[in-house]
Amino acid sequence: MSLGFTIVKRLAHMVFVMFGISVLVFLIFFATPGADPAARIAGRNASPQTVALIRKEFGLDKPLPVQYLRMMDRLVIRRDLTSYVNLGEKVVPTIFRAAPVTLSLVFGAAVIWIVFSILVGVLAAAFKDRTLDRLLMILSLIGISIPVFWLGEVVNLVSQGLLHNTWLFSWVPPLGYVPLHRDPALWFKSLVLPWFTLALAFIGIYGRVLRANIVEAMQEDYIRLARAKGLPEAQVLIRHALRCSMIAIFTLFGLDFGALVGGGALLTEVVFGLPGVGYLTYQALTNLDLPMIMATVTYASFFVVLANAMVDILYSVFDPRVRND
């Protein structure tokens, strides 16, 4: 099977999955018994006449297939779908304005967790079953176990309150986001603590996975061959065992990065007051803003599905055996 056909196949799967997700999300919010968008728009004490008028004005009196097509047309093609809560606010431009915040948060956190997880995994594998290995694995488990919203609140309590006037945290700006083009230094300062807060759990997960893969790889025949050739142990570990062990990390990273860019960093954004896609989703869920919820879920699904497709395609590039799956 050629690489081009494999890529086309993966992209076709991606389109099919996105269609299925959009239909499912639409049915959940617009066709579930008792879920009447018109009643939510009109308010709790609205009269039946008002609800009927709103239902007609928003096209909610049409058959479900017609409603779905109209919704997708306004969401994907015309991109003029408006919020049911903040009337007149277009949801797609709102998401586009929030996307750079999420991208800034996730990209910075990804750099941190990849660098530190490689460091943790390599050191733990190099000192297998020794004190440093056990210590790193315990710290990794602690990092995985700490809820991100709790850690974020503790970080805010210390950096914004208890120790804000000391030299250690006097540089920390108020909660919020500063665009990169406006002030690069302030942009960096406002995201440093959210980066580490979001990255901590991933450092623990990736470090433990990488350590296990390296330990397993060190038992393979090609490692014994490298040692028989007289290569230094550090070179065997880095050039051979680490390179082959990064495949699992590559898979995890693709899926986690796509999920976080799609709004998986919601808790971090809410705690640190970052107006990203996750925070936008949180507000939409709080207000039951159905168009905004549908737009953010579709946006999130796109990045998750895209990440899966990219991982599959890159696997096909580097490992031709995958093309036959």
Side-chain angles (χ1 to χ4, degrees), residues 110-124:
V111 172
I112 292 172
W113 90 57
I114 288 295
V115 171
F116 279 91
S117 62
I118 292 176
L119 182 63
V120 169
V122 170
L123 287 176

Side-chain angles (χ1 to χ4, degrees), residues 94-167:
T94 302
I95 292 176
F96 284 168
R97 287 193 299 269
V101 182
T102 299
L103 289 172
S104 298
L105 173 63
V106 176
F107 268 109
V111 172
I112 292 172
W113 90 57
I114 288 295
V115 171
F116 279 91
S117 62
I118 292 176
L119 182 63
V120 169
V122 170
L123 287 176
F127 294 90
K128 178 177 176 291
D129 295 331
R130 293 157 71 176
T131 302
L132 182 59
D133 177 27
R134 296 188 180 94
L135 178 61
L136 289 174
M137 291 301 97
I138 291 173
L139 292 176
S140 298
L141 185 59
I142 293 174
I144 297 171
S145 304
I146 297 177
V148 66
F149 64 89
W150 181 86
L151 179 62
E153 290 290 357
V154 171
V155 169
N156 285 337
L157 177 64
V158 174
S159 63
Q160 298 287 344
L162 298 178
L163 301 179
H164 183 66
N165 295 325
T166 65
W167 64 270

Side-chain angles (χ1 to χ4, degrees), residues 301-316:
S301 304
F302 171 78
F303 277 101
V304 173
V305 173
L306 178 63
N308 277 273
M310 292 302 297
V311 168
D312 289 341
I313 291 172
L314 289 176
Y315 267 0
S316 301

Side-chain angles (χ1 to χ4, degrees), residues 22-278:
S22 66
V23 172
L24 182 61
V25 172
F26 174 82
L27 292 177
I28 289 174
F29 290 106
F30 288 85
T32 302
D36 186 0
R40 293 176 178 174
I41 299 171
R44 294 183 178 179
N45 300 319
S47 64
Q49 294 79 9
T50 302
V51 174
L53 182 63
I54 291 177
R55 185 176 291 112
K56 182 177 181 180
E57 181 179 352
F58 283 85
L60 300 174
D61 57 341
K62 306 292 184 182
L64 284 177
V66 176
Q67 291 187 46
Y68 170 79
L69 292 176
R70 292 182 60 177
M71 182 72 68
M72 290 298 103
D73 175 54
R74 297 189 62 186
L75 178 62
V76 179
I77 300 176
R78 292 189 292 167
R79 293 186 292 182
D80 61 351
L81 183 64
T82 56
S83 167
Y84 285 173
V85 175
N86 302 315
L87 297 180
E89 180 185 35
K90 296 182 178 180
V91 299
V92 175
T94 302
I95 292 176
F96 284 168
R97 287 193 299 269
V101 182
T102 299
L103 289 172
S104 298
L105 173 63
V106 176
F107 268 109
V111 172
I112 292 172
W113 90 57
I114 288 295
V115 171
F116 279 91
S117 62
I118 292 176
L119 182 63
V120 169
V122 170
L123 287 176
F127 294 90
K128 178 177 176 291
D129 295 331
R130 293 157 71 176
T131 302
L132 182 59
D133 177 27
R134 296 188 180 94
L135 178 61
L136 289 174
M137 291 301 97
I138 291 173
L139 292 176
S140 298
L141 185 59
I142 293 174
I144 297 171
S145 304
I146 297 177
V148 66
F149 64 89
W150 181 86
L151 179 62
E153 290 290 357
V154 171
V155 169
N156 285 337
L157 177 64
V158 174
S159 63
Q160 298 287 344
L162 298 178
L163 301 179
H164 183 66
N165 295 325
T166 65
W167 64 270
L168 191 60
F169 293 107
S170 59
W171 56 270
V172 178
L175 296 180
Y177 176 77
V178 178
L180 177 61
H181 62 83
R182 183 184 303 173
D183 190 334
L186 197 56
W187 169 85
F188 180 83
K189 291 178 181 179
S190 66
L191 288 172
V192 167
L193 295 180
W195 282 341
F196 278 95
T197 301
L198 179 60
L200 183 62
F202 292 100
I203 294 173
I205 296 172
Y206 284 47
R208 293 175 69 88
V209 170
L210 185 58
R211 185 257 187 200
N213 289 341
I214 293 177
V215 169
E216 182 179 355
M218 294 296 283
Q219 311 301 320
E220 298 292 336
D221 292 338
Y222 66 89
I223 297 294
R224 297 190 185 97
L225 178 61
R227 285 171 173 160
K229 290 180 178 180
L231 294 179
E233 191 66 21
Q235 189 173 347
V236 172
L237 177 64
I238 301 298
R239 290 190 56 185
H240 296 279
L242 177 61
R243 285 181 60 184
C244 295
S245 301
M246 287 297 292
I247 296 177
I249 298 299
F250 173 74
T251 305
L252 286 175
F253 179 78
L255 302 179
D256 289 335
F257 186 84
L260 289 175
V261 171
L266 184 152
L267 294 176
T268 306
E269 292 180 0
V270 171
V271 170
F272 288 96
L274 301 174
V277 177

